[in-house]
Amino acid sequence: MKFWEENGRASGRGSVGSTHSAIHLENPESHLRWYFKYFLGTAHQNYYGKTVEKNMFILSVVKSEEFYRAILWAKTGLQRIHLPVSQKTRSPHSICQEFGDINVVRAPREIKEAEIQKDLLYIEEQEGAINFKFGVLYRKKGQQTDNEILCNNDITPTFENFLNLIGEKVALKGFNDYRGGLDVKGDTTGTHSYTTVMEGKHIMFHVANMLPFSKDNPQQVERKRHIGNDIVNIVFQEEDDDFDPTCFRSQMSHIYAIVTYRSVEEAYMLRVFNEEAVPPYGPEIAAEYTDHDHFRRVLLVKLMNGEKAVYETPQFVARRERTVDQLIREIYKRYVRCEEQGELDHHLRPLAGLTDRIIETTPRIGRKKRFKKAARFTEKGQDLKFQKIISGHAPTSKNCTSLSLQRKLAHFSNWRCDRVLGDVQQKVHCADFWDTYVVMGSDNGLSLINTQTADVTEIYDSMFVPKQIIVVEEKSIAIVRAEKGKNKTGCIYTFDLAALTMKAQCSKNMRKKTKQEKIQPTKGCTLVCSYLTIASKLYMSVVKHKMIQLYEWIRIPGQGQGWFQCKNDFQICDVQSLCMFSRPSGLKICVGTSTEFLIIDAEGDENDKKKCIERLQKHKENTSLCITPVLKDEVNNWALGVLLTYNNISVLEQFTLHPDNLFTVLIKWNVKPLHIHSSLPYFMAIGQQGIEIRLASNGNVVHSIDVTCVSYLTIRCQLIYLSTWDNTTMTGEIVSLPTFVNFGSTSTISSSGLALSNESVEHTDSAGSTLTRESPLRRSFNDHSWTRTYTESQDDLANNIFSCLSLTDLAFTRPP
C-alpha cells in the first residue's frame, strides 16, 4: 500500500477552500438514512424494475402534502431526491426519469409485501456503519514492525492519560452498549476496554495492550484479529519518531493516526497517514494541540470521517456493489414471480400514479381487504423501526422533530435565520436590498419597503411585473427585468435609487405618471445578470431571443444620470442560465443552454466571435440549470472555476490545475437546486424542497433542511435572502441566512419564542450576572439573550437537528 500524509503543515492533497476551520461529522446518517427516517412505519410504495442494460433496481416513494421523497436502490448505490407535488399525479416511471442516469425498459411494478421493508432497511445499512471501532496501539521509539508494536503490554501513565482523554474505561463483562466485536460474556477478548460517544455515535477502542497476549506467539494473532480488521488505527508514541504505515500487513487498515505527546509543551501532535485511494476528508488538522479537549474532538471526528471516506475507495465500493446487487436479486427471487416461466405475477401491479392508500381511516365497501393489508404493511415497518431504536442501532433514534428553524440552527454558532419582513400578502418573485429599503417585485407590481417602519409603498401596479431585480449600490442604480403591458413583453429598466425613494414619497397618481428608464434594445429579453469588477466597472449581460448582449455602464462626471452602452453581442440559442466573473485574461460569461455549458470571452476578438466561445460540458436535455462561480483570489476576485449544475447533479469545472490543488468534485444533490451559493469551503444549494450544505472539497453532506415554497432572492453583506410562502395562510416572509456557516461549539441566539430542549442554559441578565436554568421542552423565553454551551451529551440531540421545518416556526431577530 501507498499512503499520503496530513501533518498540519502541508496537506497531502489539496481541496477547494484553504482551510477546514469547522469540526463536524460528514455524511451524517441522520440526513442520509432516508428509508429509516421517512419511509419505515409510514404508508409508502416500493417498485421493481429493470434498466435497458438489464440491471435490476427498486424504487421507493413516499408522498407528503408538499413533496415526494424517492430512493432509487441500484447496484451503483442509493440515490435520493425531493420532488414537488404537482397537480398531475406522478407515475413511477416519471420519477425514475428524474434521477437522470437511468433508462427504464418499462413501467416499474409495485411490490406490496410488508417483508420487503426489512430487506430494504438492510440494504440501506450497507452504506456504512452507524457506530465505529478504532484500534489503539502503543509504539516505543525504534519499533519498526507490527510484531514489535503488538507485543507491548505496558500502559504508561502518559498513555493512560491519553486513553482517559479519548474514552472511558469500562468492564467488558455485561457491557450493554456497542461492543465493537469484543466479547462481553466470557472475557475472551480481555476484561476491560475504552469506549465513548461523539456526535451521537458510539465508539469502541480496541486497545492492543488490553487484548489477550500470548508469550508463545510473537505475531500476536489474537490482537491482530481485531487490530488488523479495524479500518482506522491510532498509534500513540511518547517521543518523535518516523513511522512507516506499511509495516502493518493488513488489507483492511487504511488510516493510521500518529499521536505524539510532548510533555514539555503539554501538547499533542497529530499526523494522519491515508491509503492512496482514500479521498480527502475533514477537518483539517493543526501541527499541535495544547487544548486537549479540542484535540479530542478533532481526533475523533477526523477518524469517523476517515472511516466514511474509506467506504468510497474502489475496494469497498466494489464490495458494496456486489452485496447490493445480490440483495436486490434476492428480493426479486423472493417477492417477484419470474414472468419468463409463465407464472402469474401475484405481487406486481403496474400503477399509472401514486396514491396514499392509508388515508381513509374508514374503508369503503370493497376496500376492506386492501385497507387491512396496507395497515399490516405499516405496522410491520413500525415494529422494525421500534426494534432498531431500542437496540441503539437507529441512525435517528436521538432525533427531535418538533423544533423551530431557530432551534435547528442552534448547532452552529453564527448561523441563524433572521426575519427581515413578515406577513407579506403577496408571493415575492424577486427582491433586492439597499440601506434600509427593499425593492420587491410580485404579481402586484413593484413595491418599495422600509424595513425599519415596515411601510410598503407601491411604485407600479400589476401592469408592471418585475421578474429580476439587481441593486448596484456602488452606482446607485437598480436594474429591473420586468414584463409590462398586456403582452407581458420583457425589457430592462434602470432606476436611480435616490429617484426611486422620491417616487415612494409622491402620491399614487404621480408615481403612475413617472416614466421608467427603459433600455429599448433589450425588449423581448428573458434573462439578465450583472457583474462589478475590482476596477468598479459595471457590466450587464442580457439574453434576448438567440442572442446575448453585453452592456457596460457609462457615466460621465457632471452629466447626471449614466446609461448602459452595448459593447458586444454573441449568437447563442436557447440560453437558460448565465453568470459573469473575472479571470486573469479578462471578463468571462458562462452560459447554460438546453444541451451544454459554454464560456464566452467577453473581451475577445470582435471580428472572430466564434473563437470567443468555448464548450465546457454537455448535459442531458430538458434539465434545470444553475451556474455558480467559485472564487479563490480575494484580491483580484478571480474565479477558480465554475460549478455547473443540471437537474440535481453538479460538476466543478476548473480553470487552472496546480500540483497542490488536484481535485474533482461530483455532487448528487438530494434537492433540485434553483440556486447554489459558494462560500468556501461549503456549497449551499437552495431548492423548492429544501436547503442542503455540502463540503466543496469532496461533496459530502454537512446538513440539510426540509422546507417548501422557498425561493432565492439575493446576497447582501454575506447574507442570503430568501422568500417563503405558506399556502394555507396565503402569507409569506423574507428571511436571511449567513453565507458562511461557522460550526463552533457555542451558539448565541437572541430570539423570541425560542424552542429549547431539556438542557441547562446560561442567561446573562441586564446587571451582567450569569444564571443557569433548566429549561423544559419547548419552553419559550422572550426578550432574553441566551448563550447555549454545548457538551458531549448535547451532540446527540444536535446530530439530527435539521430533521424537519415548518414555515410557521420561524422566529427571527434583526442581526446586530
Side-chain angles (χ1 to χ4, degrees):
M1 285 187 178
K2 295 182 180 180
F3 291 80
W4 58 278
E5 180 185 358
E6 293 179 86
N7 54 26
R9 298 181 179 88
S11 179
R13 289 189 180 182
S15 60
V16 184
S18 57
T19 60
H20 278 279
S21 59
I23 304 172
H24 48 75
L25 190 65
E26 299 174 11
N27 286 337
E29 286 75 12
S30 54
H31 296 277
L32 298 181
R33 298 292 177 91
W34 274 24
Y35 194 76
F36 178 90
K37 186 176 178 181
Y38 301 113
F39 289 72
L40 204 60
T42 61
H44 67 277
Q45 286 79 35
N46 300 300
Y47 299 89
Y48 167 83
K50 288 185 178 180
T51 64
V52 175
E53 298 81 8
K54 297 184 179 180
N55 293 323
M56 302 176 185
F57 69 88
I58 295 173
L59 176 70
S60 298
V61 182
V62 64
K63 180 184 177 183
S64 65
E65 293 182 0
E66 296 87 7
F67 49 78
Y68 295 100
R69 276 191 178 90
I71 303 177
L72 183 68
W73 315 77
K75 175 183 177 180
T76 54
L78 276 63
Q79 297 185 48
R80 310 161 188 86
I81 196 170
H82 282 93
L83 296 172
V85 173
S86 58
Q87 295 180 352
K88 184 179 179 182
T89 306
R90 290 182 178 270
S91 67
H93 188 271
S94 67
I95 292 179
C96 287
Q97 292 178 333
E98 295 289 347
F99 288 97
D101 55 354
I102 180 172
N103 296 317
V104 182
V105 176
R106 57 182 178 182
R109 298 179 175 183
E110 186 181 8
I111 302 176
K112 297 185 286 186
E113 294 299 313
E115 292 295 328
I116 193 176
Q117 298 176 91
K118 185 176 182 180
D119 299 313
L120 294 179
L121 185 61
Y122 183 74
I123 295 177
E124 187 177 57
E125 291 173 351
Q126 304 307 308
E127 290 285 286
I130 295 175
N131 299 313
F132 299 86
K133 54 187 180 71
F134 301 144
V136 182
L137 302 106
Y138 179 78
R139 177 175 178 255
K140 297 178 181 179
K141 189 171 184 179
Q143 291 183 336
Q144 299 296 333
T145 66
D146 55 350
N147 291 342
E148 291 176 335
I149 298 174
L150 288 170
C151 285
N152 293 327
N153 282 323
D154 299 334
I155 297 181
T156 64
T158 304
F159 185 37
E160 187 175 14
N161 290 337
F162 170 72
L163 293 174
N164 291 327
L165 174 66
I166 63 174
E168 178 185 357
K169 189 176 182 180
V170 294
L172 289 176
K173 197 167 188 178
F175 186 68
N176 295 323
D177 287 331
Y178 176 67
R179 59 189 181 92
L182 298 179
D183 181 17
V184 294
K185 293 182 179 179
D187 286 342
T188 61
T189 56
T191 60
H192 292 78
S193 188
Y194 281 80
T195 184
T196 190
V197 176
M198 174 63 69
E199 296 284 346
K201 310 299 178 185
H202 288 272
I203 302 174
M204 175 59 75
F205 297 100
H206 294 161
V207 183
N209 302 42
M210 303 175 74
L211 292 171
F213 174 76
S214 176
K215 295 181 179 180
D216 301 328
N217 187 355
Q219 294 188 359
Q220 301 301 325
V221 176
E222 186 62 27
R223 291 182 174 182
K224 279 186 178 179
R225 184 167 67 89
H226 294 282
I227 301 295
N229 285 312
D230 289 331
I231 294 175
V232 177
N233 285 304
I234 302 172
V235 180
F236 181 84
Q237 52 189 26
E238 298 185 29
E239 300 180 63
D240 289 339
D241 195 9
D242 292 335
F243 175 77
D244 182 9
T246 59
C247 70
F248 285 92
R249 297 184 294 272
S250 171
Q251 297 297 318
M252 288 295 293
S253 299
H254 284 63
I255 296 176
Y256 294 93
I258 314 304
V259 178
T260 305
Y261 182 72
R262 290 183 173 178
S263 56
V264 177
E265 297 89 346
E266 295 186 353
Y268 285 99
M269 294 182 60
L270 178 62
R271 292 183 296 158
V272 181
F273 291 90
N274 305 275
E275 197 269 333
E276 61 178 350
V278 177
Y281 56 94
E284 288 192 356
I285 61 176
E288 64 178 32
Y289 296 87
T290 55
D291 185 340
H292 295 180
D293 290 333
H294 177 66
F295 166 72
R296 172 185 180 272
R297 181 170 176 81
V298 171
L299 175 65
L300 296 182
V301 174
K302 180 71 173 179
L303 299 186
M304 288 191 291
N305 289 338
E307 182 166 323
K308 289 171 177 283
V310 171
Y311 291 136
E312 302 304 320
T313 59
Q315 175 185 346
F316 281 85
V317 168
R319 290 182 183 180
R320 186 169 64 245
E321 287 184 355
R322 289 195 300 268
T323 302
V324 172
D325 185 50
Q326 185 62 33
L327 292 172
I328 293 176
R329 292 180 182 275
E330 288 294 331
I331 289 175
Y332 174 77
K333 293 178 182 179
R334 189 174 306 162
Y335 303 111
V336 180
R337 300 286 186 90
C338 185
E339 293 183 352
E340 287 78 1
Q341 297 177 357
E343 298 183 10
L344 183 63
D345 227 337
H346 291 295
H347 303 300
L348 301 183
R349 181 173 63 87
L351 292 180
L354 298 175
T355 55
D356 191 342
R357 294 188 295 277
I358 312 184
I359 293 178
E360 304 174 29
T361 56
T362 306
R364 286 180 270 179
I365 298 175
R367 298 189 179 182
K368 189 173 182 180
K369 184 177 180 180
R370 190 177 70 179
F371 176 80
K372 287 184 176 180
K373 190 170 184 178
R376 286 196 298 269
F377 184 93
T378 306
E379 290 172 2
K380 177 66 177 178
Q382 291 172 348
D383 290 341
L384 290 170
K385 198 167 192 175
F386 180 72
Q387 292 171 11
K388 287 290 181 182
I389 291 174
I390 62 176
S391 66
H393 293 91
T396 57
S397 60
K398 296 175 173 57
N399 187 20
C400 184
T401 57
S402 53
L403 299 172
S404 67
L405 177 60
Q406 228 77 355
R407 182 60 181 80
K408 296 170 195 298
L409 301 179
H411 186 47
F412 318 116
S413 62
N414 291 329
W415 204 37
R416 66 183 184 186
C417 187
D418 295 324
R419 175 189 286 163
V420 178
L421 191 66
D423 298 328
V424 180
Q425 303 299 319
Q426 46 194 309
K427 205 166 185 178
V428 180
H429 295 316
C430 53
D432 209 341
F433 299 76
W434 98 91
D435 197 17
T436 60
Y437 292 97
V438 180
V439 187
M440 185 179 71
S442 65
D443 288 334
N444 295 339
L446 182 69
S447 302
L448 188 66
I449 304 170
N450 190 324
T451 57
Q452 292 183 339
T453 62
D455 293 334
V456 181
T457 306
E458 181 184 288
I459 304 297
Y460 296 104
D461 57 17
S462 57
M463 294 298 291
F464 184 88
V465 181
K467 295 298 182 181
Q468 285 181 266
I469 297 176
I470 304 171
V471 172
V472 186
E473 290 191 71
E474 292 81 355
K475 303 297 181 181
S476 189
I477 62 170
I479 304 170
V480 179
R481 179 178 69 86
E483 297 175 352
K484 188 180 180 184
K486 296 180 179 180
N487 297 329
K488 300 295 183 183
T489 303
C491 195
I492 304 298
Y493 303 85
T494 59
F495 296 90
D496 182 83
L497 294 180
L500 197 64
T501 309
M502 293 178 61
K503 290 177 185 180
Q505 300 171 356
C506 298
S507 64
K508 187 174 182 179
N509 292 332
M510 288 297 294
R511 290 197 300 269
K512 287 184 177 180
K513 294 179 182 179
T514 306
K515 293 184 179 181
Q516 312 92 354
E517 297 294 334
K518 182 177 181 180
I519 305 177
Q520 191 63 36
T522 64
K523 186 175 182 181
C525 66
T526 57
L527 205 59
V528 63
C529 75
S530 67
Y531 181 74
L532 188 68
T533 66
I534 290 293
S536 195
K537 289 186 177 181
L538 177 62
Y539 294 94
M540 178 178 68
S541 292
V542 178
V543 178
K544 176 183 175 182
H545 303 307
K546 300 180 180 180
M547 181 186 301
I548 295 180
Q549 299 173 330
L550 178 64
Y551 291 83
E552 183 180 359
W553 178 254
I554 304 296
R555 187 169 188 173
I556 301 175
Q559 294 191 10
Q561 178 68 26
W563 67 94
F564 275 107
Q565 178 178 323
C566 187
K567 287 193 61 179
N568 211 339
D569 58 73
F570 304 91
Q571 298 294 327
I572 299 178
C573 298
D574 197 16
V575 176
Q576 299 183 13
S577 62
L578 80 161
C579 71
M580 292 191 290
F581 50 85
S582 292
R583 290 291 301 145
S585 57
L587 183 67
K588 307 293 180 182
I589 306 174
C590 192
V591 178
T593 70
S594 59
T595 58
E596 60 187 353
F597 291 100
L598 306 170
I599 187 167
I600 303 172
D601 185 0
E603 300 178 1
D605 187 1
E606 295 186 8
N607 298 322
D608 193 353
K609 294 182 179 180
K610 289 184 178 180
K611 292 184 178 180
C612 298
I613 302 175
E614 178 186 353
R615 176 182 294 169
L616 287 180
Q617 188 178 18
K618 283 191 172 184
H619 60 81
K620 293 191 175 183
E621 296 185 11
N622 301 322
T623 58
S624 57
L625 304 179
C626 179
I627 305 173
T628 306
V630 180
L631 300 179
K632 183 71 173 180
D633 191 320
E634 297 180 358
V635 177
N636 299 299
N637 206 31
W638 289 339
L640 171 71
V642 286
L643 191 70
L644 308 176
T645 304
Y646 53 96
N647 270 355
N648 64 323
I649 300 174
S650 293
V651 179
L652 182 62
E653 183 73 24
Q654 298 181 84
F655 297 136
T656 57
L657 288 175
H658 300 287
D660 61 341
N661 195 27
L662 298 174
F663 59 90
T664 301
V665 178
L666 174 65
I667 300 175
K668 289 189 177 181
W669 301 93
N670 296 330
V671 298
K672 274 194 173 182
L674 301 178
H675 175 82
I676 297 178
H677 177 70
S678 170
S679 181
L680 298 179
Y682 306 103
F683 289 142
M684 178 187 292
I686 302 166
Q688 277 190 330
Q689 290 76 46
I691 302 173
E692 195 170 347
I693 305 169
R694 291 177 181 257
L695 284 176
S697 59
N698 49 26
N700 287 343
V701 175
V702 175
H703 283 282
S704 60
I705 310 173
D706 297 334
V707 58
T708 56
C709 299
V710 62
S711 58
Y712 167 80
L713 296 178
T714 187
I715 297 177
R716 289 286 171 187
C717 301
Q718 295 187 349
L719 290 175
I720 295 181
Y721 289 90
L722 311 171
S723 67
T724 65
W725 182 256
D726 192 342
N727 289 319
T728 57
T729 61
M730 300 302 291
T731 58
E733 293 175 321
I734 297 179
V735 301
S736 65
L737 290 174
T739 58
F740 180 75
V741 187
N742 183 9
F743 298 85
S745 59
T746 303
S747 177
T748 302
I749 302 173
S750 178
S751 64
S752 175
L754 178 64
L756 299 173
S757 64
N758 287 324
E759 306 169 3
S760 62
V761 291
E762 292 182 352
H763 168 56
T764 304
D765 60 15
S766 57
S769 59
T770 301
L771 306 175
T772 301
R773 305 180 184 176
E774 286 292 329
S775 58
L777 185 63
R778 295 191 60 78
R779 177 178 176 181
S780 294
F781 296 91
N782 297 310
D783 302 324
H784 292 295
S785 177
W786 293 92
T787 300
R788 177 168 179 240
T789 304
Y790 278 85
T791 61
E792 182 178 272
S793 61
Q794 293 163 336
D795 288 333
D796 298 346
L797 178 63
N799 178 52
N800 188 27
I801 209 161
F802 285 133
S803 56
C804 72
L805 174 63
S806 171
L807 294 178
T808 58
D809 284 337
L810 298 174
F812 307 95
T813 57
R814 190 70 180 167

